[in-house]
């Protein structure tokens, strides 16, 4: 149930049960039924390994524990936190944090579209080559190659279209509670945030030492941020990895 690094020197484990399940059980239960999440995680592992076709399933209303989860007319999304670990994992994580699980209404589908996916879609084995993901994936591999694990999650746990306008104050408070539990469970040795909203969420937890980067799809902002000549995927991938290595003090290659 793992795929190989491009350099072929280590195995890359996706949401390894004995590691990933502990974090999910200790942090996500205020949002969703844990048995549902564990079952979905098992399905995503099979998708990642190629044993099952890739799909983003709809989240049943009865497994959600917040108000909007029971709405009949909703376009929303939740990205289940994921982990990547090498076989020689040293027990420590880098946390890579996106802003939110963005969704858009799907044409021709029913009214209720509340879909479950993973951050950056990485449960899809083809995702590292998709669109802007090529800027991020080399850093995921390099972190794991160093012996560390990678924990991927969204700071804002639930996206509700359009622009979260339907989200209540109670749901926002619940998201903050879950995000705090995640960070307490993971205890990352280094935090990497993508986008100002993710930065605000990590600062709200009192974390002052972190690595900030524009969202990987923020075209026009990355050249100035990294000081590169252009914003091609390969150039930004190298600059991102170099900055994470410099700010974390961990050699990445």
């Amino acid at each position: 149930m793992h795929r190989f690094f491009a350099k072929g020197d280590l195995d890359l484990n996706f949401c390894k049960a004995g590691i990933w399940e502990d974090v999910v059980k200790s942090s996500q239960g205020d949002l969703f039924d844990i048995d549902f999440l564990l079952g979905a995680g098992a399905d995503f592992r099979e998708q990642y390994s190629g044993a099952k076709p890739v799909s983003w399933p709809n989240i049943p209303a009865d497994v959600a524990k917040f108000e909007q989860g029971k709405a009949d007319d909703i376009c929303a999304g939740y990205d289940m936190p994921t982990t990547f670990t090498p076989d020689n994992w040293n027990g420590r994580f880098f946390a890579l944090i996106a802003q939110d699980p963005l969704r858009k209404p799907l044409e021709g589908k029913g009214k209720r579209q509340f879909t479950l996916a993973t951050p950056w879609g990485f449960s899809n084995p083809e995702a590292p080559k998709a669109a802007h993901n090529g800027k991020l994936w080399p850093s995921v591999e390099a972190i794991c190659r160093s012996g560390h694990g990678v924990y991927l999650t969204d700071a804002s746990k639930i996206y509700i279209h359009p622009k979260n306008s339907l989200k209540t104050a109670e749901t926002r408070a619940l998201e903050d509670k879950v995000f705090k539990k995640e960070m307490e469970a993971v205890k990352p040795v280094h935090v990497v945030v993508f986008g100002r909203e993710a930065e605000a969420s990590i600062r709200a937890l009192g974390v002052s030492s972190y690595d900030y980067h524009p969202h990987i799809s923020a075209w026009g902002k990355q050249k100035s941020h990294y000081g590169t000549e252009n914003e091609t995927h390969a150039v930004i991938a190298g600059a991102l990895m170099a900055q994470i290595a410099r700010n974390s003090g961990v050699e990445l290659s």
Side-chain angles (χ1 to χ4, degrees), residues 8 10 55 115 123 142 165 208 251:
L10 287 172
S55 66
T115 54
S123 53
S165 61
S208 58
E251 183 177 351

Side-chain angles (χ1 to χ4, degrees), residues 79-99:
D79 287 349
M80 189 161 58
T82 59
T83 61
F84 287 101
T85 51
D87 285 345
N88 66 335
W89 182 48
N90 62 15
R92 295 175 290 182
F93 277 113
F94 278 51
L96 274 53
I97 302 169
Q99 294 189 161

